[in-house]
Amino acid sequence: QAQPQRARRQDVSKERWRRIHEAVKDSPYRALYHLIMDGSLRLGEALALTWDDVHLGKPTEGKRPWVFVRAAIKERSRGDGRGIEQYRGKPKTDQSVRKIFLNEETAVFFHQLRRLQGKTPGLVFRSSGNPDREPNKGTVSRDFRSCMDAAGLTDITVRDLRHWAPTIMLSEGVALPAVSKRLGHAQISTTVNRYSHVVLKDEEKAADAIEIWGKRRR
């Protein structure tokens, strides 16, 4: 639960959200960052996506684009004891297998990435040295750090991004069950516990909402 607590201490505002989007505009992993930011995916879930999991459709169809999360890139010690290797495995929980709708901006970046790669099947996000492999998590983290340093946003890591979106969604009044499902939490209580700082504010609003006549009579 360290990452939600980190995000809780950060200034999670729409303005900083906009600055992050602007900071990654020239990164080769721009579409990846937008997916994590706007879709609340774990980094490993995003890296495991294949084009078979992506359903962009056509603008004329009027259907919202979506991705299907069904795997995750994980890390483990190498068999020879020399460092860490990445491997494709199951998502964190059964509820982590889920359908994630994309907003318009993220969908545009996916269309651009698709045109760049052509119609070749396989991974959506690919290593620059081997298109059959996903990028190394460390490489992605270093790239993101470089983008943030250039923008003067030195306290944000790529893993924080997943936890910013729920904070903003809950603050904007998105229903808790919908946010929990988007995050892939096994239980809604997990969402409540991790984002209690936002839920508490909603409870305070609820107290004011049922005051029908008090303020007008004072």
Side-chain angles (χ1 to χ4, degrees), residues 35-163:
L35 179 62
I36 296 173
M37 282 191 281
D38 302 325
S40 297
L41 270 70
R42 301 173 178 92
L43 175 58
E45 293 173 342
L47 291 178
L49 285 178
T50 69
W51 283 111
D52 287 339
D53 302 320
V54 179
H55 303 267
L56 296 177
K58 298 178 181 179
T60 55
E61 293 177 344
K63 295 180 180 179
R64 181 177 288 273
W66 57 280
V67 298
F68 183 48
V69 178
R70 57 175 175 172
I73 299 300
K74 302 182 177 182
E75 296 178 333
R76 62 188 175 195
S77 299
R78 295 183 183 274
D80 57 8
R82 298 180 180 180
I84 302 295
E85 66 178 358
Q86 295 186 172
Y87 70 99
R88 185 181 183 89
K90 294 181 179 180
K92 189 173 183 179
T93 67
D94 290 341
Q95 285 71 26
S96 296
V97 177
R98 63 201 189 278
K99 182 178 182 178
I100 298 290
F101 288 108
L102 304 179
N103 63 30
E104 183 177 353
E105 188 174 26
T106 302
V108 167
F109 293 140
F110 267 75
H111 278 294
Q112 293 174 349
L113 187 61
R114 192 59 168 145
R115 287 195 295 269
L116 181 65
Q117 293 182 1
K119 295 296 182 179
T120 56
L123 291 166
V124 175
F125 305 108
R126 306 173 181 183
S127 168
S128 58
N130 182 357
D132 294 326
R133 291 287 301 176
E134 73 283 343
N136 183 274
K137 287 185 176 182
T139 300
V140 173
S141 295
R142 286 190 292 272
D143 176 80
F144 184 78
R145 170 61 64 191
S146 177
C147 292
M148 294 302 102
D149 286 347
L153 299 168
T154 56
D155 62 332
I156 306 169
T157 71
V158 68
R159 295 181 183 275
D160 291 332
L161 297 181
R162 164 175 159 82
H163 304 292

Side-chain angles (χ1 to χ4, degrees), residues 27 38 57 100 183 185 190 192:
S27 169
D38 302 325
I100 298 290
L183 286 164
H185 284 165
T190 301
V192 172

Side-chain angles (χ1 to χ4, degrees), residues 11-24 33-40 103 105 148 153 156 160-169:
D11 173 19
V12 181
S13 64
K14 285 187 174 181
E15 174 58 25
R16 294 194 89 202
W17 192 251
R18 184 196 62 77
R19 288 181 64 191
I20 294 173
H21 278 247
E22 180 68 18
V24 301
Y33 299 143
H34 274 264
L35 179 62
I36 296 173
M37 282 191 281
D38 302 325
S40 297
N103 63 30
E105 188 174 26
M148 294 302 102
L153 299 168
I156 306 169
D160 291 332
L161 297 181
R162 164 175 159 82
H163 304 292
W164 276 49
T167 300
I168 293 177
M169 285 189 288

Side-chain angles (χ1 to χ4, degrees), residues 8 170-171 176 191-208:
R8 186 180 305 170
L170 289 169
S171 298
L176 186 59
T191 313
V192 172
N193 291 336
R194 294 194 174 190
Y195 300 96
S196 58
H197 58 300
V198 187
V199 175
L200 179 60
K201 292 180 181 178
D202 286 341
E203 291 176 353
E204 293 173 353
K205 291 180 182 178
D208 292 335

